Amino acid sequence: APPPPTSVACIVGAAVQVETDAGLRPLVVTTDRTSNGPLLMYPRPRTIGGSAATENWVLDNFAADPATGQSMVHTAEAVAREGAMSRQSLDEVTLLRYQQYRQALADDRQRTYLQPVVIEQGRSRLTVDRDEGVHETTADGLRALKPVSPDGVVTYGSQTHPADGAAGTVVLARDGARALADGDGVVRLLSAGFARAEKARMPKAATTAALQALDAAGLAIGDVHVVTTHNPFAVNDLWFAQRTGFPLERMNPYGCSLVYGHPQGPTGLRAIAELVQALQARGGGVGLFTGCAAGDTGAALVIRLE
C-alpha cells in the first residue's frame, strides 16, 4: 500500500518516542527534491540501436500511482465529477489561495517560520529566502488555461507543481515544551488520523483522515478554528468544504502547496508550521492539518495551541 503522508507519520513516530521516554527531544527533519528529480537510464543492448530505457522518478510517479496505474490528475478529475465541481469553482478556490498567500507575504507573516538558506558557490554566495516557482496568478489567467485532460476541469493553474524544500520541528514532553517556549504557549498534539479512499480517489482521503482524527480527539469540525491542507489540486479543498461545511476562507490563511509547490517529504510539515502560526495569531485554539498521498491515502493531525 502507498505510505501515508510523510510529515504526519514522522511527527506521530516522534511523539510515540517521547511518550516512551519523556526525556527525549526528537528532531523531525523532512526534505525532498522534486523539481529536477533523478532520471535513470537502463541499457538495452538487444534492442534496435541499443536504445536505453528511461525512468523519471518524479514524473512517472505523478503519471501512475503504484496501486492502480492511474495518474494523479485522473484521481482529481474523478472526485471533481463526483462532487459536481465546475471549472469556475476550482478556479475560484485557486485564486483565493493565491490571494491568501500574497496577503501573508505582504504582512510579512511568513518570516516567522521560513528560514533563509545560504549556498556557497565558489567565491560567491546565493541566498534563498523566498519561494520559487510561484506564478502571478489572476482570474483572467486561470480562465485562459486549457484543461489538462480532454473534457476535464483541472488545469495546470488549479494543481501544484514539483518543488524542493525542507522542514523541521522538535517534539517534546509538555514540561520541556513549556520551558523552550518561554511563555509563548505550546502546541499540544491531540490526535492523528490515517485513511484510504476508494482506489484512484486521492482527494477524498484527506477529508476521511481529517474526520477520523477529529473523532479520535473527541471533537467535531465546529470545534476547529483553523484548517491547513496539502492540496495538490483545488479539488481537495472543495471536497473538504463540501463534506464538512468548513468555510474555504478559513482554510490555508498563509497560502498552501497549491501555490508554493510540492516537495513530497516536507510539504505537510510546512503546512503544520503555518497552522501553528495561524493559531498563534488568533491567540490559541484548535487546528487541523490534513493532506493526501499517492493514489488513495491521507493523513491528518489535530493540535491545540495552549
Side-chain angles (χ1 to χ4, degrees):
T6 308
S7 299
V8 173
C10 289
I11 290 176
V12 169
V16 170
Q17 292 183 22
V18 173
E19 286 288 329
T20 304
D21 183 351
L24 292 177
R25 295 189 170 193
L27 171 63
V28 176
V29 178
T30 56
T31 185
D32 207 347
R33 186 191 76 177
T34 62
S35 69
N36 186 19
L39 177 64
L40 306 182
M41 300 186 67
Y42 304 96
R44 295 190 301 173
R46 295 185 178 182
T47 61
I48 298 176
S51 59
T54 62
E55 179 182 355
N56 189 308
W57 276 15
V58 175
L59 298 183
D60 289 352
N61 176 271
F62 291 167
D65 87 82
T68 67
Q70 298 291 345
S71 69
M72 300 301 101
V73 172
H74 171 88
T75 71
E77 290 287 1
V79 175
R81 286 192 297 273
E82 291 187 37
M85 301 175 191
S86 67
R87 162 71 183 273
Q88 180 180 349
S89 66
L90 296 183
D91 285 352
E92 288 174 352
V93 172
T94 301
L95 191 61
L96 172 62
R97 297 293 174 249
Y98 274 88
Q99 290 170 342
Q100 291 170 309
Y101 176 85
R102 293 192 191 104
Q103 188 61 55
L105 198 62
D107 296 344
D108 214 26
R109 286 180 284 158
Q110 295 182 355
R111 295 296 175 188
T112 56
Y113 58 89
L114 292 182
Q115 299 297 317
V117 175
V118 178
I119 303 171
E120 303 288 346
Q121 294 184 322
R123 296 182 179 180
S124 62
R125 305 175 77 193
L126 172 65
T127 300
V128 180
D129 59 359
R130 67 192 65 190
D131 293 314
E132 308 235 353
V134 178
H135 297 284
E136 293 296 328
T137 300
T138 65
D140 290 340
L142 288 171
R143 197 177 301 116
L145 294 174
K146 295 181 179 180
V148 176
S149 306
D151 302 321
V153 292
V154 176
T155 70
Y156 285 113
S158 58
Q159 65 172 295
T160 190
H161 60 274
D164 310 328
T169 189
V170 179
V171 181
L172 310 110
R174 181 181 301 175
D175 291 344
R178 291 199 181 281
L180 194 63
D182 195 26
D184 285 340
V186 296
V187 176
R188 183 181 176 192
L189 305 180
L190 300 182
S191 66
F194 298 94
R196 298 190 74 170
E198 309 99 297
K199 288 186 176 181
R201 296 296 186 273
M202 179 178 65
K204 288 184 177 183
T207 298
T208 305
L211 295 175
Q212 288 188 4
L214 287 170
D215 184 64
L219 299 172
I221 193 66
D223 300 315
V224 176
H225 300 102
V226 184
V227 172
T228 62
T229 64
H230 161 47
N231 49 354
F233 300 95
V235 172
N236 292 48
D237 282 2
L238 195 52
W239 181 267
F240 182 91
Q242 287 179 349
R243 293 307 181 270
T244 66
F246 198 86
L248 286 164
E249 296 77 11
R250 285 170 55 195
M251 299 169 62
N252 297 312
Y254 290 74
C256 58
S257 54
L258 183 67
V259 176
Y260 50 69
H262 178 21
Q264 298 180 47
T267 308
L269 196 50
R270 171 168 172 170
I272 293 168
E274 292 174 339
L275 178 61
V276 172
Q277 294 300 321
L279 291 173
Q280 192 172 48
R282 69 177 306 278
V286 175
L288 166 69
F289 161 75
T290 190
C292 60
D296 56 19
T297 62
L301 196 70
V302 179
I303 65 173
R304 177 183 286 121
L305 183 66
E306 53 186 36

